[in-house]
Amino acid sequence: MHGIRAAGRWMSLGRMLAAALVCAALLPAPRAAGAEYNPFPRRPVLRQPDVSGRFIVKLRQGARVAGSSAAPRGSADDSAAETTRIQSLANRVRFTVQAERNLGGGMHALHIAQLANESDADTLARLRADSDVEYAVPDRWIYPQATSNDPLALGQWYLTNAQPSAIDAQTAWDTTTGSPGIVVAVVDTGALFNHPDLNGRYLAGYDFVSADSAGVYTTANDGDGWDADASDPGDWGTGTSSCPAPSSDGTGNSTWHGTRVAGIIGAQTNNNVGVAGILWSGSILPVRVLGRCGGYNSDVLAG
């Protein structure tokens, strides 16, 4: 433990933030041997949900539709050319595009109507065989990572030197408490902007949670898709039927996971209120990519 304490004294602020961001990991962790130090009550069953015709497709750079001319990257013409390429791909591979979002860098999130009795694996094989496709993968369903149900986060053990996974922030604060110019993006469930320990720390942010299907926003839980409102409407559920994807995690109150993570990183500190954040100054940029029961990898990539 002495070695851990000594390392903590010299831990840079960057390493401290990296440790905090691990708490915000979005992909389900594999089951580890032994008990978890900070158990939590809402771990979903790690089973793969049905993709239901949702894929992420990366088009090859430089390839263009015959007869089209080059256009500046990011321009309206470039966007139209990308749309044309997706439609040409659909015609060649024989599927109907139900919804499409340009994720940038040649990546597109596609919700497609597949051929009758065709599996997702068969559709992927046909997509990957097309010469204009660099890669195609399922648009998987993901979940937020661990949250504690104890008041004041179990005494914030992660800021102490009591466990190997803690960061000994109390000692590190003797070296630095951060800078007003630091901005940390929290890619999670959004923000509670009126939280008393985060007032003044949040930037405006953005909401990247998309529709589950045309006009259906069960995951988003706010009645709309992408917009500049990163507030967290909650991810409460009433059972598996309330989730767009199969999950055993559909029942319970809201986790406010994004606000918990933001609090770990940047709750107002040394103010005799609530909990302490790793950064004593700086800003939190909320990027909302998860809603009720989780979310899609394509929304995380966009965020």
Side-chain angles (χ1 to χ4, degrees):
M1 187 59 70
H2 173 75
I4 295 170
R5 186 179 299 114
R9 292 193 182 101
W10 303 106
M11 181 178 284
S12 69
L13 184 61
R15 289 182 62 195
M16 291 166 61
L17 287 175
L21 289 174
V22 168
C23 299
L26 298 174
L27 297 176
R31 297 182 185 277
E36 182 182 16
Y37 175 70
N38 184 23
F40 62 105
R42 288 172 55 85
R43 180 184 293 276
V45 173
L46 301 184
R47 59 180 176 177
Q48 190 62 57
D50 182 10
V51 176
S52 301
R54 290 180 178 268
F55 305 95
I56 298 172
V57 175
K58 170 71 161 59
L59 300 178
R60 294 189 185 280
Q61 186 174 2
R64 292 195 173 271
V65 178
S68 66
S69 57
R73 179 177 291 275
S75 68
D77 288 343
D78 186 52
S79 179
E82 288 281 293
T83 300
T84 299
R85 291 178 67 188
I86 289 295
Q87 189 54 58
S88 296
L89 172 65
N91 293 337
R92 292 193 303 272
V93 182
R94 293 177 297 134
F95 62 78
T96 301
V97 179
Q98 294 181 319
E100 180 268 337
R101 295 194 314 282
N102 190 335
L103 304 177
M107 290 190 298
H108 297 261
L110 300 180
H111 188 191
I112 68 178
Q114 298 163 271
L115 296 177
N117 301 319
E118 182 175 68
S119 68
D120 290 317
D122 291 338
T123 304
L124 272 175
R126 292 197 294 116
L127 283 168
R128 290 166 176 169
D130 190 270
S131 61
D132 200 19
V133 174
E134 182 174 332
Y135 60 78
V137 295
D139 190 0
R140 298 295 191 193
W141 189 261
I142 58 177
Y143 303 89
Q145 194 50 283
T147 55
S148 166
N149 64 350
D150 294 298
L152 297 184
L154 290 175
Q156 294 191 273
W157 60 269
Y158 47 81
L159 300 184
T160 71
N161 62 2
Q163 294 290 327
S165 53
I167 64 175
D168 196 3
Q170 291 96 329
T171 303
W173 285 330
D174 289 336
T175 301
T176 180
T177 58
S179 165
I182 292 176
V183 176
V184 180
V186 178
V187 183
D188 209 296
T189 65
L192 293 176
F193 285 100
N194 61 349
H195 192 286
D197 223 12
L198 288 162
N199 279 337
R201 301 303 296 273
Y202 277 125
L203 300 178
Y206 204 85
D207 178 7
F208 285 95
V209 182
S210 59
D212 306 305
S213 58
V216 178
Y217 296 95
T218 305
T219 303
N221 208 24
D222 60 359
D224 55 34
W226 290 14
D227 58 31
D229 181 6
S231 59
D232 187 350
D235 55 2
W236 51 268
T238 57
T240 303
S241 61
S242 69
C243 294
S247 169
S248 65
D249 198 29
T251 304
N253 296 324
S254 294
T255 63
W256 312 117
H257 192 275
T259 298
R260 288 173 179 263
V261 173
I264 292 171
I265 297 169
Q268 295 191 41
T269 305
N270 212 29
N271 63 347
N272 290 314
V273 174
V275 297
I278 296 172
L279 286 173
W280 290 22
S281 57
S283 301
I284 302 292
L285 178 67
V287 182
R288 184 170 186 256
V289 297
L290 298 177
R292 183 182 292 173
C293 310
Y296 289 102
N297 264 331
S298 55
D299 290 337
V300 177
L301 286 170

